[in-house]
Amino acid sequence: MAFAYLRHGQHIVWNKVSYKLERLIDDEWQILDVNTHRMRNLSINNLYAKIATGEIVFEASMPIHTPGTIKLNRNEKIAANLDMYDEHEQIIIKRKRYLLEEIYKLYGDCRSREILSIAIDDIWRKDWDAAPHPATVARWMKRYIEADKNILALAHLNDRKGNRTRRYQAKIYDICEQSIDRVYLQLDRGSINKTLEDAKREVRQENKLRPPDEKLSYPTYSLISSLIKDIPEYDKYARRNGANVARNRFRSSTKGVIASYPLERVEIDHTELDVMLVDEETGLCVSRPTLSIAIDVFSRSIMGFCISYDPPSVMVVARLLKMAIPPKTDLKSKWNGVESDWPMFGVMENLVVDNGLEFHSKSLDDSCSQLGINLTFCQRKTPWWKGHVERALGTMSRQVTDGVPGRTFSSISENAGYDAKKNATISLKAMEEIITIWIVDIYHKKTHSALGMRPYDAWSENIQTSDIPIPTNLEVLDVVMGTNAERGLSHTGISINSLQYNCDELQAIVAKFGPIKQARIKWNPENLGYIYALPPDGTTLTVPVIERYAKYANNLTYGRHKANKKYAKKYFMSDDLEAVSRAHEKMQELIGLELSNKNKNTRRQSKRLVTKTSSMSTTVNNEENNVVSKIKTPLVSTIKRKTFETNRTNRDENKGFENANDIKARA
């Protein structure tokens, strides 16, 4: 993905008119109409607002050395996108980029063979074998720099080169890997020779069951050695010596990880907030929400947050990044209580995460590669590698929930005599505004003990707006953060998740290329009303669900759709969309009943189905023109709990109730 910077000469498109940024005077940009040469003034805040809403997009020309399409067999072409390459080639491209970035940090745009030879030995050979020649790396560097560091400039077409088949049968590799796991990767530390003997014994047993013409060849010492070398050193050492010994051996001896400038290193993590929230409609306690934040290590500024009832997942991470990357210009219109601005945004260089399942998604890895983000995983059971976000989460959880009704405590002694469930009165939307005010008006404006200055000042004084990378089109974030899939494309459109998607532009692709067996698509688990199609001509199409399913699918989450299908199959004996639609209406009624259920877990599961995200606006469907629009929802700061006339605790004979003796006397 290409980036754009707010600098002199940058071209933008506003209302289908091309402009060029000429000069920045005070807080206003002078922009030049390319066709009429008329000059206009546009304030920085107004420019950010139009970029965030998509009214202004960057006009980025395709850099040289960057392929627009990838040519396949039989002269077929597909869009040049990292997702379009096979996994092996993606790994090679990412390795090249990693090597060049490390060289660039140490030596800059270096083409010297002597220096590159040293760098290759220090960087490439440390992690991988078959290091490239310095002249090859010099050519990579030239292409990479001239393409504005676009990762696609490092792509190549290896599918037509030579014989790509492996030397041994696939079964041999499976047997060798099993022998390595059974013999070599054990605490008794079996040798390579012993591992080879075990693999040969397994091959011998396998050959007894095969006909003569299908006998397996025997593995060699070099094959076992190469497979062992492919295993990460930490994993190999931990399996042979124990996890605790490995952690001590590979631990960092420095004072901690530091960053040299803003956006160099951003850490993200999740936690359950220490407060019980209530449902806005019923006033009943739902559960503790999950809070996710992204923090810039250099300035200790919080880039964005996400609060919802959903457990940590790829969708939650995508929501968090979608808030952290774009400019935040409309705070006061969304939260009336916010007084200051939130200038922290942009694409980070390194994203540091732990080993949660949500971070090991291929979709997240591909998305970060597309955005030029290095996804870095902490070692297992080493939270100190991202201690900045851990500390920030702890501080936020304590200060945001301090004195809030429904707060939970960490120890039993603190909870003694206090029922958080009964005292809860804060809704999810109210807590969202509370967190925003705390971040913008308190945390960013208070001196940080480690920095000796305010995070707001640490950010503002060390980065210029012209140095913040912004995606050329923020709508691309939805495509990049989508879930990858392959489906057939025909005259009926594309079918996925039991829904049908089609439009005139998609049918034009069918008319041009014919039916496609495996068309590349991306879909948004938070809204099944549309998908993104990546046809062979290199374009990206937004394909809506067909009109028949529009009322049902618009703004419908994937989790809710799965629940509808399960309910329809169980009670209507069918999973077709008509039955699913009826189940959808029935479940709306049941969810309303379940939200008043006394069981906390039941209410939490029901609330997940009706609460899409912690977004500040609610998406609705206009049935007249089938246009998706957004309406602002009023903020409910506190919810009054329903009171009942009688219950077990107020049945007192002195408070208007007849006692047993009066009843007997009257009888």
Side-chain angles (χ1 to χ4, degrees):
M1 173 179 288
F3 297 115
Y5 299 88
L6 295 180
R7 298 173 179 172
H8 168 71
Q10 174 65 51
H11 286 259
I12 61 175
V13 178
W14 181 17
N15 294 332
K16 299 182 180 180
V17 179
S18 180
Y19 293 90
K20 184 175 72 170
L21 300 182
E22 284 293 322
R23 61 185 62 87
L24 179 64
I25 301 178
D26 294 332
D27 291 333
E28 285 192 342
W29 270 103
Q30 290 185 350
I31 59 176
L32 177 69
D33 189 324
V34 176
N35 297 322
T36 64
H37 293 279
R38 292 185 59 184
M39 194 75 72
R40 298 183 61 174
N41 292 339
L42 192 64
S43 67
I44 291 179
N45 291 335
N46 197 10
L47 179 61
Y48 283 153
K50 294 182 183 301
I51 291 173
T53 58
E55 187 176 349
I56 288 181
V57 296
F58 292 94
E59 191 178 76
S61 58
M62 185 64 68
I64 59 175
H65 303 302
T66 304
T69 57
I70 304 170
K71 192 173 183 180
L72 300 179
N73 295 329
R74 295 174 296 182
N75 294 325
E76 295 179 358
K77 292 184 179 181
I78 59 176
N81 190 296
L82 188 63
D83 295 337
M84 302 303 175
Y85 295 93
D86 58 47
E87 292 188 9
H88 174 72
E89 191 162 350
Q90 288 185 34
I91 293 174
I92 297 299
I93 294 173
K94 293 174 185 178
R95 289 181 181 179
K96 291 180 181 179
R97 180 180 177 276
Y98 174 79
L99 172 66
L100 296 180
E101 285 289 345
E102 293 297 317
I103 294 175
Y104 194 85
K105 290 179 182 178
L106 296 173
Y107 309 107
D109 184 7
C110 176
R111 312 285 173 84
S112 169
R113 292 194 179 187
E114 291 77 9
I115 296 178
L116 290 178
S117 298
I118 299 174
I120 292 171
D121 290 335
D122 293 341
I123 300 172
W124 186 284
R125 298 185 190 278
K126 179 179 67 176
D127 296 322
W128 309 295
D129 294 331
H133 192 273
T136 303
V137 177
R139 289 195 298 270
W140 292 350
M141 181 67 78
K142 179 178 183 298
R143 293 166 54 189
Y144 189 57
I145 296 300
E146 291 180 353
D148 295 332
K149 293 190 175 182
N150 193 322
I151 192 173
L152 294 180
L154 303 178
H156 50 74
L157 295 175
N158 283 338
D159 54 310
R160 298 182 181 180
K161 295 181 180 179
N163 183 10
R164 308 294 294 178
T165 59
R166 305 179 77 174
R167 175 181 176 184
Y168 295 94
Q169 301 97 319
K171 184 65 176 177
I172 292 294
Y173 292 96
D174 293 338
I175 292 175
C176 291
E177 290 173 356
Q178 292 172 7
S179 296
I180 292 173
D181 185 75
R182 185 167 52 246
V183 178
Y184 188 81
L185 298 178
Q186 296 296 326
L187 292 176
D188 55 7
R189 305 174 198 173
S191 64
I192 296 179
N193 284 324
K194 188 175 180 180
T195 305
L196 177 60
E197 292 175 2
D198 184 82
K200 288 182 176 180
R201 182 168 56 253
E202 291 296 323
V203 171
R204 194 177 301 112
Q205 294 295 330
E206 179 71 20
N207 284 337
K208 291 180 180 178
L209 305 176
R210 290 174 173 261
D213 57 340
E214 296 182 6
K215 299 288 186 181
L216 298 176
S217 56
Y218 287 95
T220 61
Y221 185 93
S222 60
L223 175 60
I224 300 295
S225 300
S226 63
L227 293 177
I228 290 176
K229 289 180 181 179
D230 291 337
I231 303 172
E233 286 297 323
Y234 177 85
D235 293 342
K236 187 162 43 180
Y237 198 88
R239 289 288 301 274
R240 289 169 63 85
N241 299 275
N244 293 331
V245 178
R247 279 196 296 270
N248 291 331
R249 176 181 173 86
F250 289 89
R251 76 181 189 276
S252 174
S253 59
T254 61
K255 293 183 179 180
V257 179
I258 60 175
S260 303
Y261 47 86
L263 292 177
E264 179 186 9
R265 179 184 175 94
V266 172
E267 300 173 354
I268 64 176
D269 203 1
H270 321 278
T271 189
E272 272 196 320
L273 202 60
D274 295 335
V275 65
M276 302 292 289
L277 302 184
V278 300
D279 178 55
E280 297 178 10
E281 298 178 359
T282 65
L284 294 176
C285 179
V286 179
S287 181
R288 294 168 59 187
T290 298
L291 174 66
S292 307
I293 68 170
I295 186 171
D296 176 66
V297 173
F298 177 83
S299 64
R300 302 300 198 274
S301 302
I302 296 177
M303 303 284 295
F305 74 94
C306 175
I307 180 172
S308 69
Y309 295 113
D310 297 325
S313 64
V314 178
M315 289 190 296
V316 172
V317 177
R319 294 175 199 161
L320 179 59
L321 292 178
K322 287 178 185 178
M323 183 183 185
I325 292 176
K328 307 170 187 63
T329 58
D330 52 352
L331 296 180
K332 295 182 180 180
S333 62
K334 295 175 181 177
W335 299 289
N336 295 327
V338 178
E339 297 181 358
S340 303
D341 58 340
W342 195 345
M344 297 79 180
F345 68 94
V347 180
M348 60 287 300
E349 292 184 13
N350 300 282
L351 187 64
V352 184
V353 298
D354 56 27
N355 283 278
L357 292 178
E358 67 273 15
F359 299 124
H360 282 280
S361 166
K362 185 178 183 299
S363 296
L364 179 62
D365 181 64
D366 292 344
S367 300
C368 290
S369 296
Q370 288 276 82
L371 292 168
I373 300 173
N374 298 314
L375 188 61
T376 305
F377 293 93
C378 296
Q379 298 182 17
R380 292 171 292 180
K381 297 183 179 181
T382 55
W384 54 85
W385 279 104
K386 53 180 183 63
H388 306 92
V389 69
E390 299 277 358
R391 177 71 177 270
L393 279 173
T395 302
M396 181 181 295
S397 184
R398 289 190 302 272
Q399 297 187 10
V400 167
T401 62
D402 186 16
V404 174
R407 180 186 180 186
T408 59
F409 298 92
S410 57
S411 66
I412 298 177
S413 60
E414 289 179 307
N415 275 315
Y418 179 77
D419 192 336
K421 181 178 176 182
K422 283 186 177 181
N423 288 275
T425 59
I426 303 296
S427 67
L428 183 68
K429 290 187 178 298
M431 181 53 63
E432 184 181 31
E433 181 169 359
I434 291 172
I435 292 174
T436 305
I437 294 173
W438 182 85
I439 293 174
V440 176
D441 296 331
I442 299 177
Y443 177 78
H444 284 168
K445 297 303 180 68
K446 186 177 179 181
T447 301
H448 195 282
S449 59
L451 297 176
M453 61 189 308
R454 304 185 304 173
Y456 186 94
D457 297 333
W459 174 276
S460 303
E461 295 176 6
N462 290 279
I463 191 168
Q464 302 293 326
T465 56
S466 59
D467 295 327
I468 300 177
I470 310 171
T472 53
N473 188 346
L474 290 176
E475 291 184 359
V476 178
L477 280 178
D478 290 331
V479 183
V480 171
M481 294 295 177
T483 302
N484 298 321
E486 291 184 355
R487 292 294 186 274
L489 171 60
S490 65
H491 67 283
T492 60
I494 296 174
S495 178
I496 186 172
N497 298 325
S498 302
L499 296 170
Q500 199 75 22
Y501 299 85
N502 207 347
C503 63
D504 294 338
E505 292 81 359
L506 192 65
Q507 288 307 306
I509 297 297
V510 177
K512 182 177 181 180
F513 296 96
I516 302 175
K517 292 184 178 180
Q518 295 294 327
R520 297 285 186 132
I521 66 171
K522 286 200 171 189
W523 58 280
N524 184 2
E526 296 187 66
N527 189 350
L528 299 184
Y530 62 91
I531 62 173
Y532 295 104
L534 307 174
D537 61 354
T539 59
T540 300
L541 298 180
T542 303
V543 185
V545 70
I546 63 176
E547 186 176 357
R548 178 185 175 189
Y549 304 145
K551 183 177 179 180
Y552 167 77
N554 280 335
N555 307 313
L556 182 72
T557 64
Y558 179 64
R560 180 67 182 277
H561 182 52
K562 285 178 61 179
N564 292 341
K565 290 174 63 178
K566 183 178 180 180
Y567 186 90
K569 192 170 184 179
K570 182 176 181 180
Y571 294 103
F572 295 97
M573 305 303 176
S574 174
D575 58 355
D576 65 88
L577 208 58
E578 297 297 335
V580 173
S581 183
R582 293 198 304 272
H584 180 70
E585 297 175 358
K586 184 64 177 176
M587 288 188 67
Q588 289 277 49
E589 302 175 3
L590 294 178
I591 289 171
L593 295 175
E594 291 297 319
L595 282 174
S596 61
N597 194 298
K598 293 183 179 181
N599 186 284
K600 183 186 71 174
N601 292 333
T602 302
R603 290 199 302 274
R604 181 172 190 175
Q605 294 172 2
S606 300
K607 196 61 181 175
R608 287 178 188 169
L609 295 178
V610 298
T611 304
K612 175 183 176 183
T613 177
S614 62
S615 176
M616 294 68 68
S617 57
T618 302
T619 305
V620 298
N621 183 53
N622 188 335
E623 296 183 3
E624 296 181 357
N625 53 13
N626 196 27
V627 175
V628 176
S629 60
K630 289 189 174 182
I631 61 172
K632 295 178 183 177
T633 57
L635 178 65
V636 183
S637 59
T638 58
I639 306 293
K640 292 185 178 180
R641 298 176 62 85
K642 293 183 178 180
T643 58
F644 299 90
E645 185 177 355
T646 63
N647 54 39
R648 292 182 180 272
T649 60
N650 61 15
R651 290 179 182 171
D652 190 312
E653 59 184 3
N654 296 324
K655 295 183 179 180
F657 291 90
E658 298 174 317
N659 56 33
N661 294 329
D662 293 336
I663 296 174
K664 290 180 180 179
R666 186 163 55 189

